[in-house]
Amino acid sequence: MRPGQAILTLAAIILLAACGGPTGPLVPPLGTRVPPVPAEGLEHPGRTRVKRVSTACSMPRPSEEAEILGIMVSHGNALSNIAVAGQDEKTTAAFIHVDPGDTPVYLIALSGQPMLWVVEGATERVERLIVQPALTKTGPGVAVTGLTASRVGALNPNACGQPYELVHYGAEHLFQKLRSIFRRDDLRMVGVESVGTVRAPSGKLGGARSSRNGPMITTDAGNYVIRDSKPVRVNPNARNFTVNQFRSFYPGGVVMVHPETVVSTRSVDVYDVLPAEAGLIQLVEAGALTFVPEEAGYLINGPIPRIPAGLNGAHSVKFGLAEGVEKPKGTFNHSSLFDAATGECLEGQCKWLEEISRRDDEYRRQLRRRR
């Protein structure tokens, strides 16, 4: 194993374990930063970019003895602590575990959303990893930890097709296309919506890496978890809703890495607030949010750094802004922000709905005038 590669892999393993041990928190508390790692052996730590290998679905040819595996996913089933496409875009994470063996491994990984790929195991076998990043408003977003930049290359977003199409009905087409490109009938491919771990070169799917708490302790006095060998009370409303949502959507928990251990297609940053339900848990536990069960929403009762990214679709929620609290930074997307005192819509989906309602009313008035 190369020295730089060993440092990258060790850093990722240590930092992930720190978040997922039996006495660790369900999610890291607000403001948690991953400790710095030694810079020895890293290629321009924190500033290394993935080299673009092609603007089309064309890749460097693997060696004759290499085993080839293509991986197509929409997203990972864990959340990342680093933002690969800006603070307002959710980044998920997944693992590629390289099993021991004597032959080189050539990997192709396509993702439909901003993604952190954690490469682990017998990483010395990896001849090359080609990634196809997701296209976001801020540019293509993908990062890799566990390999040095010299063994990672990037395609343009959608160069080999859109991952949603590939996963649902285009995988066989791409499978045949890659076989033709490489002139290799032994190429393997796996396509799934969400992934925790993919084993290489077999393509077998592994279970999620869990960074959950130890057991939840339920008593008449409330719910507790163990942190630093001491019981800490958990907001019961958050336990019933937010925590269950987080565990359901992201069984892999939160993957914690230092930004200097990654190579990426653009600059990366540490999230001010973790994405999606993990960020909601952080804010509830910090006392800045209060879950309101009858509304299945949250009262913002104190200043927060920003709204968690990725609160869209099934993840969308309602926020009420308490009197005197400044409106937080961030993008609400499908979520809504209301004035808690007046019920007035301030931002987010409720604004869109108001606009749709206004247009509908105007259309009905025009119809009445024509009669």
Side-chain angles (χ1 to χ4, degrees):
M1 184 178 289
R2 300 182 181 94
Q5 168 201 319
I7 291 172
L8 286 168
T9 305
L10 181 61
I13 292 172
I14 290 173
L15 296 173
L16 289 166
C19 185
T23 60
L26 179 64
V27 300
L30 197 63
T32 299
R33 290 291 186 269
V34 176
V37 295
E40 181 183 355
L42 297 179
E43 302 173 347
H44 307 295
R47 303 186 303 277
T48 305
R49 298 290 175 268
V50 176
K51 182 180 178 181
R52 183 180 297 174
V53 296
S54 176
T55 58
C57 190
S58 175
M59 288 152 263
R61 185 173 296 278
S63 61
E64 290 297 325
E65 63 273 20
E67 297 186 65
I68 310 171
L69 174 65
I71 305 166
M72 300 173 298
V73 301
S74 173
H75 55 273
N77 67 13
L79 291 168
S80 166
N81 72 310
I82 62 168
V84 305
Q87 293 277 348
D88 292 325
E89 293 280 352
K90 177 180 66 179
T91 300
T92 61
F95 291 78
I96 301 174
H97 183 92
V98 185
D99 291 321
D102 298 325
T103 56
V105 176
Y106 191 105
L107 300 168
I108 307 151
L110 296 79
S111 53
Q113 297 179 17
M115 185 73 136
L116 169 67
W117 292 103
V118 181
V119 186
E120 61 171 13
T123 56
E124 69 278 3
R125 292 186 65 190
V126 179
E127 180 176 287
R128 190 180 292 269
L129 167 60
I130 302 296
V131 294
Q132 178 180 290
L135 181 61
T136 69
K137 294 177 182 178
T138 54
V142 67
V144 176
T145 187
L147 297 175
T148 53
S150 59
R151 289 189 288 161
V152 182
L155 301 172
N156 270 8
N158 301 333
C160 290
Q162 297 182 13
Y164 179 87
E165 296 175 357
L166 297 175
V167 169
H168 288 83
Y169 49 81
E172 182 62 27
H173 174 73
L174 179 62
F175 186 33
Q176 298 303 330
K177 184 175 184 178
L178 291 178
R179 278 186 166 184
S180 175
I181 290 172
F182 293 132
R183 298 181 182 178
R184 294 281 294 271
D185 291 333
D186 58 346
L187 182 147
R188 301 184 184 96
M189 186 161 290
V190 57
V192 290
E193 181 76 15
S194 175
V195 68
T197 300
V198 179
R199 303 191 76 91
S202 68
K204 293 180 180 178
L205 301 179
R209 297 298 193 83
S210 178
S211 57
R212 298 179 181 178
N213 264 339
M216 179 77 70
I217 303 170
T218 302
T219 71
D220 291 337
N223 301 305
Y224 294 79
V225 292
I226 303 300
R227 293 183 190 161
D228 299 325
S229 302
K230 297 178 182 179
V232 178
R233 187 171 182 175
V234 175
N235 183 306
N237 291 329
R239 193 267 181 191
N240 291 335
F241 182 78
T242 317
V243 169
N244 288 341
Q245 290 286 90
F246 171 65
R247 285 176 165 164
S248 174
F249 285 121
Y250 305 106
V254 179
V255 173
M256 300 283 287
V257 298
H258 194 281
E260 290 189 1
T261 68
V262 307
V263 295
S264 56
T265 52
R266 48 155 292 162
S267 60
V268 301
D269 194 13
V270 177
Y271 280 109
D272 296 330
V273 177
L274 287 172
E277 287 77 10
L280 295 175
I281 293 172
Q282 285 186 315
L283 295 171
V284 167
E285 294 190 347
L289 285 186
T290 299
F291 180 60
V292 184
E294 58 270 19
E295 296 289 340
Y298 299 85
L299 176 66
I300 304 175
N301 46 35
I304 64 176
R306 69 188 309 117
I307 290 295
L311 295 177
N312 305 319
H315 305 269
S316 60
V317 298
K318 291 180 286 187
F319 294 98
L321 187 65
E323 186 176 358
V325 178
E326 184 177 351
K327 187 171 74 172
K329 295 187 295 184
T331 304
F332 286 86
N333 294 314
H334 295 166
S335 296
S336 298
L337 178 67
F338 297 91
D339 186 304
T342 66
E344 177 190 358
C345 172
L346 301 177
E347 194 169 339
Q349 188 180 44
C350 57
K351 281 289 186 186
W352 312 342
L353 296 176
E354 284 183 351
E355 177 61 18
I356 291 172
S357 178
R358 185 193 66 77
R359 292 180 181 180
D360 286 345
D361 290 343
E362 177 62 26
Y363 178 67
R364 283 191 287 268
R365 283 194 294 269
Q366 289 178 3
L367 288 178
R368 284 195 294 268
R369 285 196 295 265
R370 291 173 184 173
R371 290 174 183 173

